[in-house]
């Protein structure tokens, strides 16, 4: 019809949806909102009015699906959802265990809105870094020197992410924190790191370890690994102990088979 509105000749039910996992629709600005919205167009009408809400930044597509019997083409429209103002500092990636004295892989630090969307800073922002470990240190390069001189990092204007590195000489699970300075009212970032020994065992069968309560010596969690090409790599947390079949504790494993 060259874009000219035409009224339906009978009641027609359509379904409105979005390809965003966070997209919600409603017939009222006050809700209730749902992920799909069935709507019946009364006979003689040609317009649908609805409201869209989304908390995931991006370009979602809204689709109005007509009945198959109508033969109509489903109209589609792209929306633009932008991040809101910064609410939170976050370490968005899960940390991997590292050995004492070994620099971590790059640790990403990100500014986010209250829904977790990355949100750029408008000016340079200083971020103070702290650790709960007396032997932990930060740096901007994995080459260090990790001498305690790096206690802050700057997020440049126009970006939402920076990377840093962490090294600790002591086994344990220290917490690192990041907070803006001066305060802008953001929630600070906190992450628990794991500093652990790595044990490599040549083994043709199966290897198993158990996490044990150090006070009661009761097994809390079993860990089992099947060797691949005869090589098993096990990461030991500070609460992990090896125990012989007779219950005796083993602090060091040097055998080539377990």
């Amino acid at each position: 019809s060259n874009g000219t509105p035409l009224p339906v000749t009978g009641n027609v039910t359509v379904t409105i949806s979005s390809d965003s996992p966070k997209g919600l629709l409603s017939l009222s600005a006050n809700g209730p909102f749902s992920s799909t919205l069935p709507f019946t167009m009364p006979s003689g009408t040609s317009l649908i009015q609805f409201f869209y809400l989304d908390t995931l930044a991006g370009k979602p597509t809204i689709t109005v699906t007509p009945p198959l019997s109508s033969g109509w083409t489903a109209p589609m429209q792209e929306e633009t959802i932008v991040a809101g103002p910064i609410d939170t500092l976050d370490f968005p990636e899960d940390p991997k265990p590292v050995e004492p004295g070994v620099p971590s892989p790059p640790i990403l630090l990100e500014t986010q809105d209250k829904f977790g969307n990355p949100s750029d800073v408008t000016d340079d922002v200083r971020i103070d870094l702290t650790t709960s470990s007396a032997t932990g240190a930060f740096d901007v390069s994995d080459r260090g020197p990790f001498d305690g001189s790096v206690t802050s990092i700057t997020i440049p204007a126009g970006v939402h992410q920076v990377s840093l590195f962490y090294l600790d000489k002591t086994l344990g699970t220290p917490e690192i924190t990041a907070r803006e300075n001066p305060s802008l009212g953001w929630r600070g970032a906190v992450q628990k790191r794991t500093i652990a020994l790595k044990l490599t065992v040549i083994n043709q069968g199966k290897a198993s370890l158990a996490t044990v309560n150090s006070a009661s010596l009761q097994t809390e969690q079993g860990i089992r690994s099947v060797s691949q090409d005869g090589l098993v790599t096990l990461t030991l947390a500070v609460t992990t102990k090896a125990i012989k079949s007779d219950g005796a504790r083993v602090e060091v494993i040097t055998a080539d088979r377990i």
Side-chain angles (χ1 to χ4, degrees), residues 60-187:
T61 298
I62 297 174
T63 303
V64 180
T65 305
L68 290 175
S69 59
S70 69
W72 300 349
T73 300
M76 305 172 72
Q77 178 172 292
E78 185 179 81
E79 300 290 332
T80 299
I81 310 298
V82 299
I86 297 171
D87 175 80
T88 302
L89 281 167
D90 185 53
F91 296 111
E93 297 181 338
D94 292 333
K96 296 181 179 179
V98 295
E99 295 184 82
V102 176
S104 69
I107 301 171
L108 296 182
L109 177 64
E110 188 172 79
T111 49
Q112 301 176 349
D113 68 12
K114 65 180 181 179
F115 298 110
N117 296 300
S119 183
D120 293 346
V121 299
T122 55
D123 299 292
D124 290 0
V125 177
R126 170 180 163 173
I127 306 296
D128 286 347
L129 305 170
T130 58
T131 173
S132 62
S133 171
T135 58
F138 301 94
D139 220 300
V140 295
S141 167
D142 60 355
R143 295 185 297 273
F146 296 99
D147 58 2
S149 59
V150 175
T151 58
S152 66
I153 194 169
T154 297
I155 303 178
V159 302
H160 58 263
Q161 200 173 75
V162 291
S163 62
L164 55 121
F165 297 85
Y166 181 72
L167 180 148
D168 208 319
K169 299 176 182 178
T170 304
L171 291 171
T173 52
E175 281 190 346
I176 61 172
T177 62
R179 301 186 187 280
E180 79 280 11
N181 185 9
S183 175
L184 298 171
W186 303 346
R187 288 184 292 177

Side-chain angles (χ1 to χ4, degrees), residues 182-205:
S183 175
L184 298 171
W186 303 346
R187 288 184 292 177
V190 180
Q191 185 179 74
K192 182 173 289 187
R193 310 292 301 183
T194 299
I195 312 301
L197 296 176
K198 182 179 289 186
L199 172 68
T200 300
V201 182
I202 303 301
N203 173 53
Q204 299 300 322

Side-chain angles (χ1 to χ4, degrees), residues 24-65:
L24 298 171
L25 304 119
S26 178
L27 295 176
S28 168
N30 297 321
F33 285 84
S34 58
S35 57
T36 59
L37 181 64
F39 177 76
T40 299
M41 298 178 62
S43 178
T45 63
S46 60
L47 296 175
I48 303 173
Q49 177 177 285
F50 60 92
F51 296 86
Y52 182 69
L53 183 150
D54 206 326
T55 58
L56 181 64
K59 292 184 177 293
T61 298
I62 297 174
T63 303
V64 180
T65 305

Side-chain angles (χ1 to χ4, degrees), residues 223-242:
I223 306 169
R224 182 169 293 277
S225 173
V226 178
S227 63
Q228 298 293 328
D229 299 324
L231 183 65
V232 177
T233 301
L234 303 171
T235 299
L236 301 181
V238 288
T239 56
T240 301
K241 301 293 182 182

